[in-house]
Amino acid sequence: MTIQVSPSAIPNSDAVSVTSTLLDRDAYLVGLLNQVTVPASEGWLQELRDRAANWVRHSTIPTTREEEWRFTDLSELRQVEFRRAVDKLNVETLHATSLQNAGDNRLVFVNGVYAPELSAVANLPSGVVVGNLSALSLPEQERVQQHLAQAEGALEVFTALNTAGISDVAVVLVAKNVIVATPIHLLFMTVAGETATISQPRCLVVAETGSQVSVVEDYQTTPDAEGVYLTNAVTEIVIADNAHVNHTRVERESKQAFHIGKTAVTQARYSRYTCHAITLGGKLSRHNLEILQTGEQTETTLNGLTMIADSQVADTHSAIALNHPYGTSKQLHKCIVGDRAHAVFNGKVFVPKPAQLTDAAQLNRNLLLSPKARVDTKPQLEITADNVKCAHGATVSQLEDDEIFYLQSRGIDANDARKLLVNAFAAEIINHIPVASLREELLHTVTTWKQG
C-alpha cells in the first residue's frame, strides 16, 4: 500500500457504511475478527475498536491479484483456523537467554499478555514512561489517546484487524528534551499450543521535542517450539521536532509461524529516525514499514536484513513519503536466500513538488545461495520535485567462485569460505545495531545459520 490515507486514520461508522451489502465480505476475515474481539467496554478505546471492526467487515484478505501482494500468496494462511491465544502461559517456559539479552529496561508480553514479573522498568530517568496501557495514569492515557491508531495506513486490513482487537498496548513515552541512555527492549514471546493461535501485539512510541531514545522490538518463540500461530503486530512511532529515535526490529518467530507486521512512523521537522529491521523467522512473514514526513529537514535511515532458507517467504514493503524540503533518506536492504526460500522487497520513495532539495538513496542487494532460491525486488522512486538528488538500485548475485577460490588459496576450506562471505554480507547491517549483546547474538546466528 502507499501512504496516501487521511490523517483521520480510521473513518467513522457513517463514512464506512457505504452499503449494507458490503458487510462481512470475507468469511475468513470475519472469523479472525471474532477471535480477536475483546469484551465490550466504555470510552474512547472501545469506540476505536468498533470503528476498526466495522472497516474490517468491509474488507477482504489480500490476494496475489492485488499489486501490493503480487508476490506473496496468503492462501496457505487462509487454510488455518486460528484461535485467540490463551492468556499468559507459565512464564517458566521462557528461555532465560531471551530475558538476559533483553537488558535492564524491558517490557515482556507472553502470547500478547503483559508479564509484569518478567518486565523491568524501574531504572528509567524522570520524564520517561514505559508500561502497558492499563497501568498508565489518566494523563498518560490521554497522551496515548492522542496518537494511538492515528498514523497513516490505518485502513490496511491487518492494521485495522489489530486495532479492532486491542486489549493492551506496550507504551513508551519520552518527555521533552529527555535523553534515555540505555535501550528499551519490548519483547513479545509466543508459546505455541496444540491449536493454531493468533496474537496481536501493539506498540506506541512517542518521542517529544528534543528527546532521544533507542527501542528494540523483538518477536520470539521458545527454543525448539513447534506449532502454528499468527502474529499480527502494529507499531506506531511519533517523533516530534528535533527528536531522535533509534529503532531495532527483530523477527525470529517459529519456522511454522505466520508473521504480519506494520511499523508506521511520523517524523516532524528536524527529527531523526533510524531503523534496523532483521527478519529471520516465520514460514511466511511480511513487514510494512511506512514513514511519513510532516516537517522539513528530517533524516531517515533504514537498514534491513532478511535471511531465510528452507521454503520460507519473507516480504518487506517500505514506503517513505518525503513531503517537505531538505529531507534526507538512506535505505539499504539486504536479502540472503537459501534452499527454496523466496524473498520480496518493494521499496517506494515519494518526493512531491513541495519536497525540494531532498536527498534520497535506496539500494536492495540480494545474495542467492541456491539455484532454487528466489527474490523479487522492486525499488521505486516517484518524483515530481525538480531540484532533488535521488537514486535507487537493486542487485541479485550468487557467491563468486573467484572469491571462494581466493579464500581457499589462503588455507580456508570451501564451506568455511562460503560462511565467511555470507557473514561479511550480513555484518554490514548487523554492525549498525546499537545494542552490543543483541548485535553479538545476531552475528552468532549468522555464523551458525544453515546456508542451503
Side-chain angles (χ1 to χ4, degrees):
M1 64 175 283
T2 59
I3 308 180
Q4 296 178 339
V5 181
S6 168
S8 59
I10 298 175
N12 58 40
S13 301
D14 294 336
V16 173
S17 299
V18 179
T19 170
S20 59
T21 61
L22 292 179
L23 286 172
D24 298 349
R25 294 177 62 195
D26 187 326
Y28 181 81
L29 182 58
V30 172
L32 288 178
L33 178 63
N34 292 336
Q35 287 299 319
V36 303
T37 300
V38 299
S41 60
E42 296 183 357
W44 65 271
L45 187 57
Q46 185 59 44
E47 293 177 1
L48 198 66
R49 295 192 196 107
D50 291 342
R51 291 195 295 267
N54 196 30
W55 179 259
V56 171
R57 292 185 182 278
H58 290 76
S59 306
T60 60
I61 293 286
T63 70
T64 54
R65 292 190 295 273
E66 300 176 33
E67 180 62 27
E68 294 299 306
W69 291 85
R70 185 157 60 101
F71 299 114
T72 304
D73 188 357
L74 295 179
S75 59
E76 194 167 355
L77 173 72
R78 296 185 67 105
Q79 297 172 11
V80 182
E81 184 177 352
F82 293 99
R83 301 293 183 186
R84 185 181 181 88
V86 297
D87 284 348
K88 185 178 55 184
L89 299 180
N90 186 350
V91 297
E92 294 179 358
T93 60
L94 296 181
H95 194 228
T97 303
S98 299
L99 297 181
Q100 179 181 354
N101 291 336
D104 295 331
N105 299 320
R106 64 178 181 266
L107 288 182
V108 181
F109 289 74
V110 182
N111 283 4
V113 179
Y114 178 58
E117 63 272 39
L118 300 177
S119 303
V121 293
N123 299 320
L124 290 167
S126 176
V128 180
V129 176
V130 178
N132 66 317
L133 183 62
S134 59
L136 300 182
S137 66
L138 182 59
E140 292 164 352
Q141 290 193 20
E142 291 176 349
R143 290 169 66 189
V144 170
Q145 182 181 354
Q146 294 175 6
H147 300 289
L148 188 64
Q150 300 303 311
E152 296 284 354
L155 301 183
E156 192 274 328
V157 59
F158 287 104
T159 304
L161 179 66
N162 182 290
T163 303
I166 290 177
S167 59
D168 208 348
V169 183
V171 178
V172 177
L173 304 176
V174 185
K176 183 178 179 180
N177 295 327
V178 173
I179 298 177
V180 186
T182 57
I184 297 170
H185 201 132
L186 309 177
L187 177 59
F188 299 94
M189 295 290 299
T190 299
V191 181
E194 295 181 357
T195 60
T197 59
I198 177 174
S199 62
Q200 298 201 113
R202 186 78 178 220
C203 305
L204 175 66
V205 179
V206 179
E208 296 186 357
T209 302
S211 63
Q212 296 184 27
V213 65
S214 293
V215 177
V216 177
E217 180 186 355
D218 196 351
Y219 298 92
Q220 296 188 37
T221 187
T222 50
D224 303 320
E226 299 293 336
V228 178
Y229 61 90
L230 167 61
T231 300
N232 180 32
V234 175
T235 296
E236 295 170 290
I237 301 176
V238 182
I239 311 174
D241 293 358
N242 202 35
H244 180 199
V245 173
N246 195 317
H247 177 213
T248 301
R249 186 185 195 275
V250 183
E251 185 274 292
R252 37 185 168 179
E253 304 267 28
S254 161
K255 291 296 178 66
Q256 298 184 49
F258 298 88
H259 180 99
I260 296 176
K262 160 74 72 65
T263 302
V265 182
T266 303
Q267 284 191 256
R269 62 179 184 171
Y270 312 126
S271 66
R272 291 174 292 161
Y273 173 70
T274 302
C275 179
H276 314 283
I278 311 297
T279 299
L280 304 174
K283 182 177 186 178
L284 183 151
S285 64
R286 164 94 170 209
H287 182 213
N288 294 315
L289 175 57
E290 301 176 355
I291 316 294
L292 177 65
Q293 180 198 44
T294 61
E296 64 181 14
Q297 207 162 328
T298 61
E299 295 182 18
T300 306
T301 303
L302 308 181
N303 295 314
L305 174 65
T306 297
M307 191 167 64
I308 53 175
D310 300 322
S311 57
Q312 288 179 271
V313 177
D315 184 346
T316 298
H317 268 60
S318 66
I320 307 172
L322 300 170
N323 299 316
H324 298 269
Y326 305 105
T328 300
S329 168
K330 306 295 181 185
Q331 181 176 22
L332 173 61
H333 189 89
K334 290 188 169 187
C335 299
I336 304 173
V337 191
D339 295 321
R340 292 168 287 109
H342 178 198
V344 180
F345 174 78
N346 187 321
K348 301 186 184 113
V349 179
F350 301 95
V351 188
K353 193 169 185 178
Q356 300 295 333
L357 298 172
T358 290
D359 184 353
Q362 180 186 76
L363 177 61
N364 174 220
R365 296 182 60 196
N366 303 281
L367 184 61
L368 304 184
L369 303 180
S370 164
K372 295 185 179 180
R374 175 185 170 190
V375 63
D376 289 288
T377 177
K378 188 181 179 184
Q380 295 176 252
L381 292 175
E382 296 187 16
I383 305 170
T384 54
D386 53 13
N387 186 11
V388 298
K389 179 183 177 182
C390 296
H392 67 163
T395 64
V396 180
S397 63
Q398 297 175 329
L399 293 177
E400 295 291 341
D401 291 337
D402 290 346
E403 294 176 345
I404 296 175
F405 176 78
Y406 175 81
L407 292 173
Q408 286 181 287
S409 71
R410 296 300 185 267
I412 302 174
D413 66 44
N415 186 52
D416 288 343
R418 288 169 56 89
K419 287 185 177 181
L420 187 61
L421 292 171
V422 171
N423 291 354
F425 188 85
E428 184 179 1
I429 301 297
I430 295 176
N431 283 338
H432 288 292
I433 294 175
V435 184
S437 59
L438 179 59
R439 185 170 62 244
E440 293 170 4
E441 183 182 359
L442 292 173
L443 288 173
H444 176 72
T445 300
V446 173
T447 301
T448 58
W449 182 66
K450 177 181 174 291
Q451 298 185 11

